[in-house]
Structures are given as structure tokens and as C-alpha cells.
Amino acid sequence: MKWKKAALLLMAALICIGTLSGCGKTEEEAPSEAPVSLKNDGREVTLVLGEILGEEQRITVLREIAEKYEADFPNTRIEVRSFSEVQSLKNAMKAGEVDIGELPGEEQAAFVRDGVLLDFYPYLLAWKESATLTQAARTVAGSMGAKHAYLLPSDFLQDVLYYRADWFDAYNEGLEPDQKVYCRTWEEIAGGPNANGTLITGAVERLGDRGRLAFAGKNNLLRYFDAMVWSSLHQNRLADPGAGYFSVADEGKSIFSTEKASAAADEFTRVVSAALPEALDWTEEEAVKAFQDGKAGMLLADRSAAESLRASMPEGAWAVEPFPRGLSGTAALSPNSYTGWGISAASKEQEIAAHFLTFLSNADNNTHLAKVCGSLPIHLEAAALEESLMESDLAAELTMAASGDRYRYAFEPIMYEAYEGYRAEAEEKVSQFARGELPKADLLGYLDDYWNAACAEEGKLWL
């Protein structure tokens, strides 16, 4: 019912309001008033919006939104320009030829270091609708530190859990709720102690091979390991969601020497054991195919897998759950990938650019863009504004967005120079650990030493 959905969204908003970092800071720490204004003063201005996805339908919607803004502010002209290469966009933004540019998240740190992006955090504080941003959107905005904002997300991909509903339903038929098999948490998937310390029998033990998990382990093991470590920690245990490897309890030190990290590493080992052995080397396409072919009862993949599953599997054979929760009873993860809008530091009209960016990203316009283009909306009320979204492939992610007490986000510390080259090295270490070639103590010791040294050398860059 609509009133229940609205109540759920209001609860999520109340959980998160007062912070732009995904509930990582207290309300008292936020400035009491915005230090800048956020307005269009009516001067004759031309703004250039540079987008990179190149999808004609999406460009049409962006132009429609630009025309709506021009109708409200007749002296402002918005030009939508497409770029096929990130470097071309970067050059144009650096020269002040593009006022607002869309870039992949993995390029953000380089753009910031090269002085291309404006830190528009003060404008974000002045934007009233920032209070209704989802935790995922807040954490993307604060991915270079909670009191900074260089990108406002335009879309992001994240894993959800597909499962064989027909197999699970057949097993569960006639059983009491506490006897049924589920896949909402890592323990329900792979077995082990849950958040309360109760020993859980996992799906793989109950369903046998039908309870196996498929995932794209080729380049994602570090991301899964990170998620399990973050999901072992209670909310507010990270120094900053944008610097997800550092502890708030032991300031300036990593989280990898904690007992929780050790328990999460054990959980990771159980999940790997519950997966098909080949999954460690699979791409997402290979993992999806294994699920389609009936080799696995569960699949970790992003929303793009749904179209392929619909085309190849009977209706009702599969269903979707949010990303599995961990040892704290919550899930904390980073998006697989994301794109975001940033304001050029060389723009001559930064305030009006910020004003248009918030118009482009407001709940009505962002939700409309999501409906037409299948992107993930960034506002909590999106499902209430456009109920059809809950019938789409976005449903599980919208459930996550509305449950901010259960689903949180964090990022590797991409603001550090030490991050350059880290991912490939750490991915190899986690892969060795997953295959039993590297002891747990060695993996955690490597991660702990690496990030303690980075912080000692470079300082607390998230502040």
C-alpha cells in the first residue's frame, strides 16, 4: 500500500538525514547553515553539459530537462554535448569549455588531482533535496571524503543476488519458517554463525549442488572481500565511508587488524567454498551462463543480468534478493561501477552550474531519467513518485535504498596516491587467499601494513 511505502521511505530519510556520507557522521557535526547560496541570478549565461554514455534516448531526456530549466530561467541556455572519450571531456573541462561533465567513477581521483573538478560540497549543503538522497548517492558524493563532493551520481551498478525461486520454493514447501532455506545473508548462503552468534545451516548444505553460488571472481574477489569486512562492522565504525579501510576507533589505523576483519575473512572462505570452484576465474557473462544452465542455485550479478535471464529461463524460475547481509546484520558494499556529474573548476559560472546540476538531479527529473533509461534513481522517494520502478529490474536496489538501516556503502580510499597500483596487487593477494595459497594472517597483515603506511605517509586525506 502507498502509505506503507511512504512510511518506509520516511524512515530511511530520518535514518540518514544530517549527513552527506551515508550515515557516517552525526548531525551535530554538520554545519548549521550553508556557506554559499544556490541560485540562478538571471544573467545571460550559456552552460555546456558534457555526457559520455552516448545513448540517443538518454540524450533526448537530458535535452528535455535542459529545456525545462531554460523555461524557468530564460536567460540561461543549456547545451548538451556528447563525448566519446574521457580524455576529450577532461581537456574540455580543464579549458572551461564544459561546465558540467559526466565521468566514470574510476577517473574521479585523477580529475581531482589534476584540478579539473570543483569541490561543490558547500552547494550540496545548500541544496534542500540533498536530505532525500539515498545512502548510495550520498556515499558516491562523499567518495573523496565525507566533507567533499566532486561527483553527483548519474547512475551506478551494484550486485544483487539472483536465486532459483523454483528450487527454493520446492524445498521450502510445507516447512516451518525456521526450517526453510533462504539467501538473505552470507550465512544463509554458506553456513556459519550469524549476527547473533547462532550457527546457521547454509543453502549449499541443504540443497547440495542446487545451493551452489556463481559469481564473477575474475576481477571482483577484492570487492567481495571488502564488502564482507565492511559488513562485519557496525554502523559508524569506519573513519569515513569514502576511506573505508580506516577505523574510527583507532584513528589513522586500518580496520584489518580487528577481530571483525578476521571473522569476515573466515566468512569469505565459507562463501568461496559454497561457490562453484570455477567461479574464481569467471567473468560475469560466464557466471550468468552457469546460473542459466542450472549449475548454480544463486548468482551474484548486477541488474544487467536480468534481461538475459528473462530471455532464457521460464517465468517464475528465478527471483532477486538485495545484496547479502553480513556479520553485523547489515550489508556494506561499494558499487561495481558508477558515473557522476562534476562541475568544472574552470567554469566561469560555477554557482549557476551548481544550480542546474541540482535541478538535473532533483527527485522529479532524476526519477524520470531513471524510468526512461533504466538507471538507478538517487532519491529515496523515487519508488513513490514512479511506482512502476518497483516492477522493474531496479526493484531489489530500490528496496536496498529504502532500508538504510540494513544496506550501507563504503569505498576504498581512492584519494590516496598509494591507491595507484593497489587494486591489482590486492586482487592477486585475495585470489591467493581464496585458493588456499595464502594464510589469513598474511593477507590481513599485508592489508593492515599497506594502509597504515599510506596514512602515516600521506595523512588523513578524507578530512
Side-chain angles (χ1 to χ4, degrees), residues 170-194:
Y171 180 91
N172 289 335
E173 187 175 1
L175 297 179
E176 295 297 320
D178 62 347
Q179 298 175 318
K180 292 182 178 182
V181 61
Y182 301 100
C183 51
R184 301 163 300 188
T185 69
W186 293 119
E187 287 65 50
E188 289 176 346
I189 292 169
N194 66 7

Side-chain angles (χ1 to χ4, degrees), residues 163-172 175 180-183 188-189 201-212 296-298:
Y163 68 99
R164 287 296 299 261
D166 51 355
W167 295 352
F168 277 66
D169 290 346
Y171 180 91
N172 289 335
L175 297 179
K180 292 182 178 182
V181 61
Y182 301 100
C183 51
E188 289 176 346
I189 292 169
T201 302
V204 68
E205 296 173 83
R206 297 193 184 197
L207 300 179
D209 286 343
R210 286 190 165 192
R212 291 288 178 189
M298 291 167 285

Side-chain angles (χ1 to χ4, degrees), residues 228-242:
M228 291 183 204
V229 173
W230 290 329
S231 300
S232 74
L233 301 168
H234 289 287
Q235 197 159 287
N236 295 331
R237 292 299 88 198
L238 299 180
D240 188 291

Side-chain angles (χ1 to χ4, degrees), residues 116-140:
V116 179
L117 294 179
L118 175 73
D119 185 350
F120 60 85
Y121 181 71
Y123 293 110
L124 203 56
L125 287 178
W127 185 32
K128 292 181 180 179
E129 287 198 43
S130 68
T132 66
L133 290 173
T134 64
Q135 286 210 39
R138 291 167 181 266
T139 312
V140 167

Side-chain angles (χ1 to χ4, degrees), residues 222 226 230 243-247 253-256 412-413 422 451:
L222 175 62
D226 283 345
W230 290 329
Y245 288 164
F246 297 106
S247 169
K253 300 296 183 182
S254 94
I255 59 176
F256 295 111
E412 298 164 353
Y422 162 77
W451 288 105

Side-chain angles (χ1 to χ4, degrees), residues 277-334:
E278 304 92 332
L280 294 175
D281 298 307
W282 274 343
T283 63
E284 183 161 304
E285 184 179 356
E286 291 171 318
V288 171
K289 188 175 188 309
F291 183 75
Q292 289 171 323
D293 292 345
K295 295 178 180 178
M298 291 167 285
L299 165 70
L300 275 177
D302 64 46
R303 79 180 82 104
S304 65
E307 184 175 353
S308 177
L309 299 183
R310 261 196 307 274
S312 61
M313 299 176 71
E315 185 176 355
W318 57 278
V320 189
E321 281 279 353
F323 191 82
R325 302 193 306 274
L327 293 172
S328 67
T330 68
L333 64 152
S334 61

Side-chain angles (χ1 to χ4, degrees), residues 85-95 107 110-111 114 116:
E85 297 178 350
V86 173
Q87 187 60 49
S88 298
L89 172 65
K90 186 175 183 179
N91 292 341
M93 292 183 72
K94 202 166 186 177
E107 298 287 344
F111 272 57
D114 293 343
V116 179

